Amino acid sequence: METFENIFLDLSKQPGKCRIAESGLGWKPSAGGDTFTLDNANLGSAQWSKAARGYELKILSRTSGIIQLDGFDQEDFDRVSKAFKLFYGINLENKEHALRGWNWGKGDFGKAELSFNVQNRPAFEIPYTEISNTNLAGKNEVSVEFSLPAGGAETGTNGHLGGARSKGRKAGAARDQLVEMRFYIPGTTITGTGNKKQKKGENGEGGEEKSGDEEDEDGGVEEQNAANLFYDTLMDKAEIGEVAGDTFATFLDILHLTPRGRFDVDMYEKSFRLRGKTYDYKIQYDSIKKFMLLPKPDELHTLIVIGLDPPLRQGQTRYPFLVMQFKTEDEKELDLNMTEEMIDEKYKGKLQPHYEQPEHSIIAQVFRGLAGKKIITPSQSFSSHHSQSGVKCSIKANEGHLFPLDKSFIFVPKPATYISFDSISLIVLSRIGGAVSASRTFDITITLKGGAGEHQFSNINREEQKPLEDFFREKHLKTRNEMLEDSSALIAKALRDDADMASSDEEVVAAKADRGSADEDEESVDEDFQADSDSDVAEEFDSAHESSGDDEDEDMVDADADAGANAGANGDGGKTPAKPKGGEERPKKKVKSGN
């Protein structure tokens, strides 16, 4: 028996003691905990290579996948090699990794892991158990998503060891974790009917290489995109897709508002799968935390909202909620792909062999039967002004509907926002905007406890104010209506304005009384003014315009004297008057014409 100290199992945080005996291999954490054991009959092959903490012993078991023991010294190779040869009859292979740093090479699908080889040496390996999902990210690009630790409490390769990670959670021991990798795979592949494949041309990064003849024995060949072949092979090796025969129910072309698109929904015993044109997702029923059935206020559609933890990832975008939309009156028939014995044994009282009802109702019942989750519906305590279960509103520029539930609020479709009543500190009703819009709509701001932020729902119809306030009061939610404060302030301001106006009018009247008859002189009509008088014309165009002024009376007297003298000199007895300069001489001209 050989014993080694300070050995790490599957990237565990704490070291332990490793023992290699004739009966098998064992590892026990130094800080205490359960012991991991591997029977000698379960050992398949073993490799020795340089690793992060020294040298690594990688064991390919027959049933448990890849097991990694890291922390050996270089001198331990001889001891480990002799023990494996003596006890198990296995040759320990010394494998060197490629250290050139190239990012192009060849992909090799092994029994338990995907190996990326550069110049026939592995640059890195990915165990299939660490892969949670894969998608075609482009015509020649495949994305590979890795498993995330759910709660950080899983330990051990077989799920219960202190310090090590469980199956599918090996990388979770590190502070930073790789969550996605993408492979660019150019070119095409010739696929024969006898499952013999050959790569045409050079393989790109992550390109797949399969042994086989150039052509099938029957001579039939088929050209296939290399990225699609890589994707299909990885789906099969990592067991991401379920076998079609295990599908209990399938719903085709379901409209999803979040993430946007249409997906086929395949229901399995422990998971369901979304199949779209670009992305495929496999989601465990254990990841479902909430299941909501919400009738849309338009009375035409019904929403199904599924809360996920961990959330669904599409590139760098996370979707904590799936939002599906159905036509409310769309009927469908469905026969479950189950035997009656299986339904009676496992799902008695939960599922039926045949359904004939609206599609959203069938999906909700099948999800409830397979996932065992309660269906949450809108609260019966709330009814909008139009007798609906939700109100139309907006989060910033995104329009949607806010549904009051029995213990929470949910806003859908984008961004789907869930707010529990227990986390609410204060609800503020306010009016923001111009005078026209403010009179028709109002806003709700929900402040969370512990400084966790706030959520603002705007452009809510003013008719919904009373139903919402009644609901808040019934659920004992602390509220503050700033609209009442604004109204009081407006009324007070209006009263102040009226008082100021009245006082200003009184001051004007008092000022007029002090001035006496001055105001009458200003307002009286000038009776001597004649609108049709020629004086203005004369003043502007005639040479006599200089007569206006302070010397006007003297000029008039001189003119009369000159007129009398001229009359005497002419001998006409004063019948020919001088040219009149003022308006008062005009009657004399009329007297002359009368004779």
Side-chain angles (χ1 to χ4, degrees):
M1 181 174 65
E2 296 288 349
T3 303
F4 303 91
E5 300 286 347
N6 296 324
I7 304 300
F8 295 82
L9 172 66
D10 285 338
L11 304 181
S12 61
K13 293 182 179 180
Q14 302 297 330
K17 181 184 294 186
C18 177
R19 291 181 179 179
I20 302 176
E22 186 175 356
S23 58
L25 180 144
W27 179 88
K28 185 176 182 178
S30 303
D34 296 329
T35 302
F36 167 75
T37 58
L38 185 66
D39 189 75
N40 58 1
N42 199 15
L43 291 169
S45 61
Q47 294 178 2
W48 179 272
S49 61
K50 190 80 171 67
R53 296 185 174 97
Y55 285 82
E56 176 188 78
L57 173 63
K58 179 187 292 186
I59 301 172
L60 175 60
S61 66
R62 301 183 188 278
T63 59
S64 303
I66 298 292
I67 298 162
Q68 296 168 281
L69 293 165
D70 191 6
F72 291 95
D73 295 329
Q74 186 175 5
E75 295 78 13
D76 296 333
F77 173 77
D78 293 336
R79 296 170 55 195
V80 175
S81 177
K82 290 179 180 179
F84 267 76
K85 183 66 176 179
L86 178 62
F87 296 147
Y88 318 125
I90 296 175
N91 291 323
L92 183 61
E93 181 183 0
N94 191 350
K95 204 161 195 177
E96 295 185 5
H97 282 81
L99 304 177
R100 304 184 69 93
W102 291 0
N103 65 336
W104 66 94
K106 296 182 179 180
D108 182 23
F109 289 95
K111 182 180 178 181
E113 62 185 359
L114 167 64
S115 178
F116 182 80
N117 297 329
V118 176
Q119 293 185 338
N120 296 324
R121 291 184 179 183
F124 59 85
E125 302 96 350
I126 305 173
Y128 297 139
T129 55
E130 297 297 307
I131 299 174
S132 64
N133 196 23
T134 180
N135 285 297
L136 286 169
K139 181 180 179 181
N140 301 111
E141 196 170 68
V142 178
S143 67
V144 180
E145 299 177 9
F146 302 123
S147 300
L148 294 173
E154 302 87 347
T155 54
T157 300
N158 51 1
H160 58 270
L161 297 183
R165 309 304 294 178
S166 63
K167 179 180 179 181
R169 304 290 189 271
K170 293 183 179 181
R175 176 177 300 179
D176 298 320
Q177 182 178 353
L178 182 66
V179 296
E180 183 179 349
M181 182 182 293
R182 294 199 175 192
F183 296 96
Y184 175 71
I185 309 167
T188 58
T189 297
I190 297 177
T191 305
T193 56
N195 287 333
K196 293 184 179 180
K197 309 174 181 65
Q198 181 195 15
K199 186 74 178 183
K200 184 164 66 177
E202 290 294 329
N203 288 328
E205 179 184 354
E208 183 183 1
E209 184 180 39
K210 292 285 184 179
S211 60
D213 300 330
E214 292 185 2
E215 290 188 0
D216 182 43
E217 296 176 358
D218 298 333
V221 294
E222 179 183 353
E223 188 173 296
Q224 184 179 3
N225 185 286
N228 290 342
L229 181 59
F230 183 94
Y231 166 77
D232 293 337
T233 306
L234 187 59
M235 289 280 287
D236 179 59
K237 292 285 188 178
E239 298 179 352
I240 296 173
E242 301 280 353
V243 182
D246 296 335
T247 305
F248 293 158
T250 299
F251 302 92
L252 301 177
D253 203 31
I254 302 299
L255 175 61
H256 285 63
L257 303 182
T258 305
R260 190 76 180 178
R262 290 187 176 271
F263 295 87
D264 295 342
V265 182
D266 296 330
M267 310 287 291
Y268 301 95
E269 183 177 3
K270 295 182 179 180
S271 64
F272 69 99
R273 183 180 176 191
L274 304 179
R275 292 184 290 109
K277 294 182 179 180
T278 305
Y279 290 94
D280 283 10
Y281 303 99
K282 178 184 175 184
I283 304 171
Q284 300 292 330
Y285 292 137
D286 293 339
S287 300
I288 298 177
K289 304 305 177 184
K290 297 174 182 65
F291 191 95
M292 289 166 272
L293 188 64
L294 308 173
K296 236 180 165 182
D298 60 5
E299 298 183 349
L300 299 176
H301 300 90
T302 300
L303 302 177
I304 287 182
V305 183
I306 302 176
L308 302 175
D309 187 18
L312 191 69
R313 288 193 301 112
Q314 191 177 89
Q316 295 185 4
T317 307
R318 292 173 176 262
Y319 295 101
F321 290 92
L322 299 179
V323 182
M324 308 178 189
Q325 179 171 288
F326 303 87
K327 293 183 178 179
T328 302
E329 298 180 355
D330 190 4
E331 297 280 340
K332 182 180 178 65
E333 293 187 15
L334 176 69
D335 291 317
L336 291 183
N337 187 20
M338 291 184 183
T339 62
E340 294 185 1
E341 291 78 10
M342 184 177 185
I343 293 178
D344 293 338
E345 181 181 351
K346 292 185 177 181
Y347 305 103
K348 188 175 182 179
K350 298 180 180 179
L351 296 175
Q352 302 175 13
H354 178 77
Y355 291 93
E356 185 177 354
Q357 50 190 287
E359 188 173 21
H360 66 86
S361 179
I362 297 177
I363 290 186
Q365 294 182 44
V366 173
F367 262 103
R368 180 178 60 183
L370 294 176
K373 303 298 181 181
K374 177 185 175 182
I375 298 178
I376 302 174
T377 56
S379 175
Q380 300 295 326
S381 302
F382 175 79
S383 179
S384 70
H385 179 74
H386 300 286
S387 301
Q388 300 297 325
S389 55
V391 296
K392 187 176 181 180
C393 60
S394 303
I395 293 182
K396 296 182 180 179
N398 301 303
E399 290 188 354
H401 294 89
L402 180 66
F403 292 90
L405 311 178
D406 286 331
K407 297 182 179 180
S408 58
F409 294 106
I410 180 73
F411 175 87
V412 287
K414 181 183 178 181
T417 306
Y418 179 86
I419 306 173
S420 175
F421 290 165
D422 296 335
S423 63
I424 295 177
S425 173
L426 177 65
I427 300 178
V428 178
L429 284 73
S430 58
R431 181 168 46 202
I432 300 176
V436 177
S437 61
S439 63
R440 298 176 182 176
T441 62
F442 68 98
D443 298 350
I444 289 179
T445 303
I446 300 179
T447 305
L448 304 180
K449 294 180 180 178
E454 63 181 23
H455 299 280
Q456 186 178 49
F457 305 97
S458 56
N459 299 327
I460 304 175
N461 195 312
R462 192 64 180 270
E463 297 173 341
E464 310 295 351
Q465 179 181 347
K466 187 178 184 305
L468 285 171
E469 285 184 326
D470 294 341
F471 180 77
F472 298 157
R473 195 177 301 110
E474 181 176 342
K475 296 300 181 180
H476 305 289
L477 298 173
K478 185 179 179 182
T479 61
R480 186 176 73 236
N481 192 342
E482 291 185 351
M483 290 187 290
L484 294 178
E485 300 174 5
D486 295 342
S487 301
S488 301
L490 290 174
I491 294 173
K493 185 177 183 301
L495 293 176
R496 287 196 303 270
D497 293 343
D498 292 342
D500 295 341
M501 184 67 70
S503 61
S504 62
D505 292 342
E506 293 175 358
E507 292 175 359
V508 171
V509 172
K512 288 182 177 180
D514 294 340
R515 293 179 63 184
S517 62
D519 295 325
E520 297 179 1
D521 295 339
E522 291 179 359
E523 299 295 333
S524 62
V525 179
D526 188 1
E527 298 177 354
D528 296 333
F529 175 75
Q530 297 180 9
D532 297 333
S533 173
D534 295 334
S535 61
D536 291 341
V537 177
E539 188 172 327
E540 183 175 357
F541 299 104
D542 198 58
S543 60
H545 71 276
E546 295 179 358
S547 62
S548 61
D550 296 334
D551 299 333
E552 182 178 357
D553 295 336
E554 297 178 359
D555 294 338
M556 290 296 294
V557 172
D558 294 340
D560 292 340
D562 293 339
N566 293 332
N570 294 334
D572 58 359
K575 293 182 180 179
T576 306
K579 184 178 179 180
K581 295 185 67 176
E584 295 179 356
E585 295 296 321
R586 293 181 188 276
K588 295 179 180 180
K589 186 177 181 180
K590 294 179 182 178
V591 172
K592 178 183 176 182
S593 62
N595 296 331

